[in-house]
Amino acid sequence: MHLTSRKYIFISIAMTNSDPPLLNHYGALFSSNSPQLDDPKNRLVIEECQLPLIDLSGLSNHDETVRRACVAAICGASSEWGFFQVLNHGISPQLVEQMRSEQVKLFKIPFERKASCGLLNNSYRWGSPRATCPKQFSWSEAFHVPLTKVSDEACYGEFISLRAVMIEFAAAMSKLAGLLGSILTANLGHGKEVIKNLCDEGTCFLRLNHYPACPISPEILGLVCHTDSDFLTILCQDQVGGLQLMKDSKWVTVKPNRDALIVNIGDLFQAWSNGVYKSVEHKVVTNAKMERYSIAYFLCPSYDSSIGSFKEPSIYRKFTFREYRDQVQEDVRKTGYKVGLPRFLVSGRGDLLTGSME
């Protein structure tokens, strides 16, 4: 970054306030770090992409050929892209609109209240508390709500109308996640009950995300580059855009589709499938003028569930979800980065992986 650009950022930080106080935290990181802000990985050529778009109505079609084609599209996209979009997913536009309206009202309350009033199981978080340099910083805020707390009246305070919408939305997302998970396990010759037996409402959660407009620098990320530490994630986003994923060693921008939900494979499905399904790096870029909202559902197993490959020889050693989460948190605490699945590779078997990884 040029010196003049760095000076501009310092001036902007000094003259601007934000809610939440992202600028204060980012400014402190920026001031205390001499390395350049930009990361070469963020400067790769960006192209807009159309993710595989799958109409889930094909799963209930009377024609077996259509049903099989729909299943093949889901499994193929999970292997080739690690991401895909779904239409006719069972979540009505009216419910999405209600959820978005309630979400906007929630994030509009002052930062001090969000941070201190214990809303949604006291799950409010913002920025990147463990960041040690600017490129580890996420320009966003979120509520991270376990499914077991979605129906708890005590979590909502004055936001009474949010509770009914959250209950309905979470149930619909859970149903969809279970359906997709069962299709992916059945494709590899295992019963549809595998996901049901592994996954636990106590560890699945909804995350309500808000990415405030960021006029400071386009190099600041709304959410830093990462893979998801779950089986699969379902994302409901607005039309602002900003999601990018790694495809063929370059970043591509996902074009929003008003009628679709985005699904991506998590680390645990990559491990369980022995690398057949891909957990792909992704990030969210900021917008200088527009704020962005999204809601993510994370399908996770119980903490003591053993995650092992569905076949041998296995690329990864067996591990529990608790062990995996603890290792991820330790890596982030020590280095600011998630290492993830490479920590669990069986020595000498990385060459068994097909296609691209993290």
Side-chain angles (χ1 to χ4, degrees), residues 43-91:
R43 290 187 274 108
L44 300 176
V45 176
I46 305 296
E47 299 177 0
E48 188 173 76
C49 75
Q50 183 69 48
L51 289 179
L53 185 61
I54 302 169
D55 186 347
L56 296 186
S57 66
L59 295 173
S60 56
N61 195 285
H62 295 301
D63 188 334
E64 184 179 355
T65 303
V66 175
R67 295 198 301 272
R68 288 183 176 180
C70 187
V71 168
I74 292 169
C75 299
S78 298
S79 296
E80 181 182 352
W81 284 79
F83 272 78
F84 56 94
Q85 298 176 101
V86 292
L87 296 171
N88 292 311
H89 39 68
I91 302 173

Side-chain angles (χ1 to χ4, degrees), residues 120-121 147-157 163 167:
L120 297 177
N121 196 45
L147 288 198
T148 51
K149 294 295 183 179
V150 166
S151 61
D152 187 349
E153 292 185 33
C155 288
Y156 291 88
R163 179 173 175 267
I167 290 173

Side-chain angles (χ1 to χ4, degrees), residues 84-86 89 91 96 173 176 234-236 259-263:
F84 56 94
Q85 298 176 101
V86 292
H89 39 68
I91 302 173
V96 170
M173 293 287 257
L176 177 59
I234 304 174
L235 181 72
C236 178
D259 300 316
L261 298 177
I262 294 175
V263 181

Side-chain angles (χ1 to χ4, degrees), residues 6 22 25-39 42 127-139 219-221 224 332-337:
R6 293 176 63 87
L22 297 164
H25 188 189
Y26 180 80
L29 290 172
F30 192 90
S31 301
S32 61
N33 281 267
S34 56
Q36 293 184 343
L37 170 64
D38 62 324
D39 184 339
N42 290 333
S128 304
R130 294 186 174 126
T132 57
C133 62
K135 65 183 179 181
Q136 297 171 359
F137 187 77
S138 292
W139 189 274
E219 295 172 9
I220 300 174
L221 294 175
V224 296
V332 171
R333 179 176 58 80
K334 288 181 176 179
T335 69
Y337 293 102

Side-chain angles (χ1 to χ4, degrees), residues 108-123:
K108 289 298 182 186
I109 65 175
F111 166 72
E112 290 76 12
R113 288 187 58 204
K114 284 180 287 192
S116 63
C117 66
L119 277 169
L120 297 177
N121 196 45
N122 198 31
S123 63

Side-chain angles (χ1 to χ4, degrees), residues 190-261:
H190 283 250
K192 293 185 175 183
E193 73 281 352
V194 171
I195 288 294
K196 182 178 179 181
N197 292 340
L198 279 174
C199 291
D200 188 332
E201 190 177 84
T203 48
C204 296
F205 58 93
L206 280 178
R207 188 167 70 203
L208 281 59
N209 301 306
H210 175 224
Y211 302 90
C214 179
I216 305 305
S217 169
E219 295 172 9
I220 300 174
L221 294 175
L223 191 60
V224 296
C225 176
H226 67 287
T227 57
D228 290 348
S229 303
D230 61 354
F231 271 104
L232 61 82
T233 305
I234 304 174
L235 181 72
C236 178
Q237 64 170 347
D238 62 19
Q239 298 304 295
V240 173
L243 176 64
Q244 296 183 351
L245 61 96
M246 186 66 75
K247 174 66 174 167
D248 299 328
S249 300
K250 60 187 177 185
W251 289 109
V252 295
T253 297
V254 177
K255 184 178 181 180
N257 183 323
R258 187 178 303 277
D259 300 316
L261 298 177

